[in-house]
Amino acid sequence: MRAILRLALAALLLAPLGSASLAADQKPHRVAIQVDQNDPQVMNLALNNATNVIEHYRGKNEEVEVDIVTWGPGLHMLRDDTSPVKDRLKRLKELAFPGKVQFSACNNTKQGMEKTEGKSVPIMSDATIVPSGVVRLMELQEQGWSYVRP
């Protein structure tokens, strides 16, 4: 009888280890969030969505990746000279969730803005310039990323 109790106790003690290893083996949750409007409300909604997703999976001790993809008028979100949410972007990237969120800036849009404005368009250092925002979003979806448009 004691042997059975010891085996039962050992099984109970080891059960959390087994579930932790299962969580470690899971693929990360991944979401791409589109921003194509020069509207601070839309930008803040995208940042709220990103924050909520990250906090949800952090609370479950599960990995998550977020890519906020901007193009067209939405590129203003990542412009160093015109972003209405620049401070919030820096806090989200550097302080709150390092390594969990990426900002993708469309180079096609950047080049178009530079041609129209006749000057270089500065992109925030926290952003990654991608050849095409639309193509970036397509490729993420082809790799199994979820898609959100606020």
Side-chain angles (χ1 to χ4, degrees):
M1 185 69 166
R2 283 186 181 176
I4 292 172
L5 288 174
R6 285 184 187 159
L7 285 174
L9 181 59
L12 286 173
L13 292 173
L14 292 175
L17 296 176
S19 64
S21 68
L22 286 176
D25 292 339
Q26 290 179 348
K27 293 189 331 187
H29 302 277
R30 301 174 303 175
V31 63
I33 302 174
Q34 170 183 332
V35 176
D36 63 355
Q37 299 174 51
N38 185 12
D39 180 342
Q41 288 182 318
V42 171
M43 294 174 191
N44 277 303
L45 183 56
L47 295 173
N48 291 345
N49 292 162
T51 299
N52 291 340
V53 166
I54 293 167
E55 287 179 347
H56 173 81
Y57 287 112
R58 177 186 278 173
K60 295 175 73 172
N61 200 29
E62 295 179 21
E63 289 295 316
V64 62
E65 299 172 20
V66 176
D67 192 339
I68 297 177
V69 182
T70 65
W71 69 80
L75 186 65
H76 284 280
M77 180 178 189
L78 302 179
R79 281 185 61 159
D80 203 35
D81 59 342
T82 62
S83 176
V85 293
K86 183 174 15 177
D87 291 337
R88 189 166 179 206
L89 290 170
K90 286 193 177 295
R91 283 193 313 270
L92 182 66
K93 178 87 175 195
E94 296 171 0
L95 303 176
F97 310 112
K100 301 293 182 198
V101 66
Q102 175 175 319
F103 304 111
S104 295
C106 176
N107 194 47
N108 287 338
T109 299
K110 180 180 181 294
Q111 290 176 345
M113 287 179 172
E114 289 174 340
K115 184 176 180 181
T116 300
E117 296 177 25
K119 64 175 186 165
S120 179
V121 169
I123 300 298
M124 296 175 57
S125 62
D126 292 325
T128 300
I129 297 174
V130 297
S132 166
V134 173
V135 171
R136 172 76 177 159
L137 190 58
M138 287 173 52
E139 290 175 348
L140 291 173
Q141 288 180 289
E142 290 168 354
Q143 295 168 19
W145 287 58
S146 299
Y147 163 77
V148 173
R149 180 177 183 202

